[in-house]
Amino acid sequence: MNITIENILLVGSLLLFISVIAGKTSYKFGVPTLILFLAIGMLAGSDGIGGIHFDDPKIAQLIGIISLNFILFSGGLDTNWNSIKPVLKEGLVLSTLGVLLTALSLGTFVYYITDFTIYESMLLGSIVSSTDAAAVFSILRSKSLALKTNLRPTLELESGSNDPMAYVLTIAFLTLVINQDKSIYSIIPLFFQQMILGGIAGFGFGVLSKFIINKIKLDFEGLYPVLSIALMFITFSATDFIGGNGFLAIYICAVYLGNQDLIHKKTILKMFDGLAWLMQIVLFLTLGLLVFPSQIVPYIGVGLLISLFLILVARPVSVLLSLLFFKMKLRRRLYISWVGLRGAVPIVFATYPLLAGIDKANMIFNIVFFISVTSILIQGTTLSIFAKLLKVALPEKVKKVTEIDKFLLDMPKSSLQEFDILPNFFSVNKRIVDLNFPKSAFIVMIKRNNEYIRPGGTTEIKVNDTLMVLADSSEDYAKVNECLYKPINVV
């Protein structure tokens, strides 16, 4: 086949189509969707039946970084602040100290069983030290696991926020491998710079993004998701430019935006959810094409040994030590340690040594790929089983519906009430998006001058408007009253 743009699009679209169809039926056989995407990429690659030769880690890294932007941003938008607030300390400790302990313990093990130098061993440990957001979000949500107390928010917060720590450790130890004369203490300023600037920039860009989305007036609803994508990439690249951690910044920015009132928020959320799935498929297909299965075979023995140590020792020990000072039942700690899924992120990070051209880069890449595959196969297929064994699963009938679920699914309300807007009330001449309107109620129609208006976020409330509001309970309507009827300049 001649390599033309048309043929590339044909092959790419066929791979995408096959991946989507395969993903639809994968869980009937207990196989995680992400593994199928990887397998399809490998089958289409040089060692597979497709014969597509792809050996460009730079392009793979670019695709990986772009994909991780969408995956982390989408995960952040779906994160409800009220859900993660009770577990914020646990999540942050797991995503920092937990990652560090995993990297150090696994790196030490690698040093003793291979001929790697100590810095090369720590580099490998750092690359696979974080749980993968794409894998955790994908598997938890597609399996619809209902977990007790705050387990699920803890797992999603950890997986969404620990990639920055792994990235900093990877870059730091890669620097030490390249520059043998540098001291390990030289990487400490880099760590604090990345984390502090990343956190500040993420919150700052979140506030700025909300202001831009709500204040700018675009003629078409479909442009708001496009605007959000632009703001996402600006957040990542600008943070990276000033020396901060771009992955941390976009996650914090997205969490902030996901918990604010935004114009056309539902459209933005649904678009990012679809794009996150697309990016997961593209990312895993690309990484599947990049790997040469024949090159992995020599490292299966050492790769399996390292993978089992990571799953059975390094991860559990790091979780138990990180959560030592928190009140939490042992079975919850054990389940958190089991949901230490490795996926695409370690493989993307493993392209950094390839591009740096260090001696053992190819070996590191193949071992990391093997670890990711075994992690998804072993842990990803047994999440439901372990949840039942450790008694942390809830029956499906009592599964909680999150605020994001309610928002996206347009959950039906049980009653309708009308609210008349009088001249001296707070809501007069205010846009709906600026009212902090309760999320448990919806304005379905506005009657104005004997005409009916379908409201949107930018719709301004006028004197003598009649708002038709759907809600479930008297408490919901009391919140609506407080929001709309708060008098101005009451004496």
Side-chain angles (χ1 to χ4, degrees):
M1 181 186 290
N2 294 326
I3 300 177
T4 64
I5 294 176
E6 290 79 7
N7 289 337
I8 292 173
L9 289 175
L10 174 62
V11 172
S13 59
L14 285 174
L15 288 175
L16 189 61
F17 177 76
I18 293 169
S19 299
V20 172
I21 298 302
K24 178 178 173 62
T25 57
S26 65
Y27 277 100
K28 292 182 180 180
F29 305 98
V31 180
T33 312
L34 304 181
I35 280 291
L36 285 181
F37 299 158
L38 268 178
I40 292 168
M42 293 168 70
L43 285 172
S46 298
D47 287 352
I49 57 177
I52 300 173
H53 183 77
F54 178 71
D55 188 19
D56 194 332
K58 190 170 185 179
I59 293 178
Q61 188 182 97
L62 175 63
I63 293 173
I65 290 173
I66 292 173
S67 299
L68 288 177
N69 269 262
F70 281 99
I71 292 166
L72 287 174
F73 202 81
S74 176
L77 288 176
D78 288 343
T79 301
N80 182 268
W81 175 251
N82 292 327
S83 298
I84 67 169
K85 191 176 180 180
V87 296
L88 188 61
K89 292 180 181 178
E90 292 94 323
L92 292 179
V93 170
L94 284 170
S95 63
T96 51
L97 179 61
V99 171
L100 178 62
L101 292 174
T102 301
L104 295 178
S105 57
L106 186 63
T108 303
F109 179 74
V110 171
Y111 176 69
Y112 281 107
I113 66 164
T114 66
D115 62 347
F116 283 16
T117 66
I118 186 63
Y119 288 155
E120 289 171 341
S121 302
M122 291 300 169
L123 173 60
L124 176 55
S126 300
I127 290 172
V128 295
S129 60
S130 68
T131 57
D132 186 69
V136 173
F137 290 154
S138 170
I139 293 176
L140 282 181
R141 292 173 186 181
S142 55
K143 281 181 175 290
S144 297
L145 271 175
L147 301 172
K148 289 182 179 179
T149 55
N150 293 315
L151 257 183
R152 184 159 172 162
T154 304
L155 294 169
E156 294 194 348
L157 173 61
E158 181 203 4
S159 65
S161 60
N162 65 7
D163 290 339
M165 182 70 175
Y167 173 79
V168 172
L169 290 175
T170 299
I171 298 301
F173 281 110
L174 180 59
T175 303
L176 293 175
V177 170
I178 297 171
N179 303 287
Q180 298 286 339
D181 56 325
K182 283 195 174 184
S183 166
I184 192 169
Y185 298 107
S186 63
I187 68 175
I188 296 176
L190 172 66
F191 167 76
F192 285 106
Q193 173 188 313
Q194 285 263 314
M195 290 303 188
I196 293 173
L197 290 180
I200 294 173
F203 181 76
F205 276 110
V207 174
L208 180 63
S209 297
K210 177 190 175 182
F211 177 81
I212 292 173
I213 292 171
N214 285 344
K215 294 300 180 183
I216 194 170
K217 293 184 179 180
L218 301 176
D219 294 330
F220 301 99
E221 182 178 345
L223 287 176
Y224 282 89
V226 179
L227 175 63
S228 302
I229 292 174
L231 293 170
M232 175 189 74
F233 282 125
I234 289 171
T235 300
F236 177 82
S237 55
T239 304
D240 184 73
F241 180 77
I242 63 173
N245 193 298
F247 294 117
L248 179 62
I250 58 171
Y251 183 72
I252 292 176
C253 176
V255 171
Y256 178 84
L257 288 176
N259 290 274
Q260 303 297 314
D261 292 323
L262 302 176
I263 294 174
H264 301 306
K265 183 177 179 180
K266 190 180 298 182
T267 303
I268 294 171
L269 288 175
K270 286 185 175 181
M271 187 277 303
F272 267 98
D273 185 54
L275 283 178
W277 271 106
L278 172 63
M279 290 301 153
Q280 287 180 44
I281 295 173
V282 170
L283 175 56
F284 277 82
L285 283 176
T286 303
L287 296 176
L289 286 170
L290 181 65
V291 74
F292 291 81
S294 59
Q295 295 180 10
I296 298 178
V297 174
Y299 307 116
I300 288 180
V302 67
L304 184 60
L305 201 59
I306 295 172
S307 184
L308 290 176
F309 183 85
L310 173 62
I311 294 172
L312 300 177
V313 181
R315 167 69 177 177
V317 168
S318 67
V319 169
L320 293 176
L321 289 177
S322 299
L323 299 177
L324 194 61
F325 299 103
F326 295 99
K327 291 182 179 179
M328 185 184 294
K329 292 181 179 179
L330 179 61
R331 60 173 180 265
R332 289 187 63 209
R333 299 171 194 251
L334 291 176
Y335 191 72
I336 290 173
S337 70
W338 190 252
V339 190
L341 293 165
R342 271 64 190 172
V345 172
I347 306 174
V348 173
F349 287 171
T351 62
Y352 284 88
L354 284 175
L355 292 176
I358 66 173
D359 292 339
K360 294 187 174 67
N362 194 58
M363 185 177 178
I364 290 174
F365 179 83
N366 287 300
I367 291 175
V368 168
F369 189 91
F370 185 82
I371 290 172
S372 293
V373 170
T374 53
S375 174
I376 296 176
L377 278 175
I378 295 172
Q379 295 168 289
T381 56
T382 56
L383 291 186
S384 299
I385 296 172
F386 269 80
K388 292 176 182 177
L389 286 175
L390 294 171
K391 298 179 181 180
V392 296
L394 288 173
E396 187 66 26
K397 62 182 179 180
V398 297
K399 179 187 174 184
K400 295 181 180 179
V401 179
T402 66
E403 291 300 320
I404 291 293
D405 292 334
K406 293 177 183 177
F407 182 73
L408 290 177
L409 295 174
D410 287 328
M411 300 296 284
K413 301 298 177 182
S414 59
S415 63
L416 175 70
Q417 282 192 22
E418 293 186 354
F419 293 82
D420 294 321
I421 305 300
L422 301 179
N424 65 327
F425 289 136
F426 173 78
S427 53
V428 174
N429 296 326
K430 296 283 195 309
R431 300 184 306 170
I432 293 175
V433 73
D434 297 326
L435 286 176
N436 195 25
F437 203 78
K439 293 179 174 60
S440 53
F442 298 102
I443 303 174
V444 293
M445 202 70 68
I446 297 176
K447 184 179 180 182
R448 180 179 297 165
N449 299 326
N450 295 320
E451 293 184 354
Y452 289 93
I453 301 171
R454 185 177 179 182
T458 57
T459 304
E460 289 188 358
I461 306 298
K462 300 295 183 182
V463 175
N464 298 324
D465 278 354
T466 300
L467 276 56
M468 301 178 184
V469 179
L470 278 175
D472 277 328
S473 65
S474 57
E475 291 181 2
D476 294 334
Y477 286 119
K479 292 178 183 177
V480 174
N481 259 310
E482 183 181 351
C483 173
L484 297 175
Y485 282 12
K486 184 170 65 176
I488 300 173
N489 297 328
V490 175
V491 179

